[in-house]
Amino acid sequence: MWAIGLAHYLCVFVTLYQRLPTNEALPKELHPVYSMFVATPSAASIAWKAVYGEFDAVARSFFFIALFLYISLVVRIEFFRGFRFSVAWWSYTFPMTTASLASIRYAEEAPCFFSKGLALGLSMTSSTMVALLFVSTLLHAFVWRSLFPNDLAIAITKDKNTSGGKQGKKSTKKTYDIKRWAKQAPFSLVSSITKSLSVDKDSDGHLTT
């Protein structure tokens, strides 16, 4: 199961990190989902220690990969700002928790000031994030009653329907234009060929005379 999960993670990781620019971008409200990339190497590190019995080179490698991805997402803090609270924010909790657990296992295996400080910092960050999300969810759900309308990625509104209708009309018009062009293309090609042949014949006739 550990090997199957690792193989699936590699496929998903490469697919999502090397998306074509022409593909539709992920909605801004779902940007917290990108933090889930940190969870798999952290969980792989913890699982390998549980299977093998010690925090060896394999477990450390996955822990350092998770730590690198964690830092790479933290430095891009602007990527996770600019949108309202939604249920998608709960995707922060699992990666941060698994990263803190992996750091605790690493601190137990290699006790030093850096490893203990890292484990303490990640654990406090994870606990603070869970507490803030819990309070925010309760406030948005029962006090302000604005929990689900803020999820623009899943909300269904009249504006979306109208915009979807306009897009649908545009797409049908484009397909109709393409079909019409495909039907007319052979005739235009034949007419251009006949015109070129007639011009060649006329030029040959003038040369002979």
Side-chain angles (χ1 to χ4, degrees), residues 60-80:
R60 293 186 183 187
S61 299
F62 281 103
F63 170 67
F64 290 137
I65 291 173
L67 190 62
F68 169 75
L69 294 175
Y70 197 106
I71 296 173
S72 66
L73 292 176
V74 169
V75 296
R76 298 186 61 188
I77 192 66
E78 295 294 334
F79 187 72
F80 300 97

Side-chain angles (χ1 to χ4, degrees), residues 9-35:
Y9 172 72
L10 291 177
C11 296
V12 174
F13 183 83
V14 174
T15 302
L16 294 180
Y17 259 80
Q18 295 185 355
R19 297 183 66 188
L20 294 175
T22 55
N23 289 353
E24 186 177 357
L26 195 68
K28 197 172 183 180
E29 291 76 17
L30 296 180
H31 281 182
V33 179
Y34 284 108
S35 62

Side-chain angles (χ1 to χ4, degrees), residues 14 16 27 40-41 46 54-55 65 69 71 77 79 82 86 94 96 139 142 151 155 157 177 183-184 190-191 199 206:
V14 174
L16 294 180
T40 302
I46 300 171
E54 61 181 11
F55 208 84
I65 291 173
L69 294 175
I71 296 173
I77 192 66
F79 187 72
S86 65
F94 181 61
M96 297 177 74
L139 291 175
F142 299 105
D151 287 330
T157 59
D177 294 338
K183 290 181 180 179
Q184 293 178 356
V190 172
S191 62
V199 170
H206 285 301

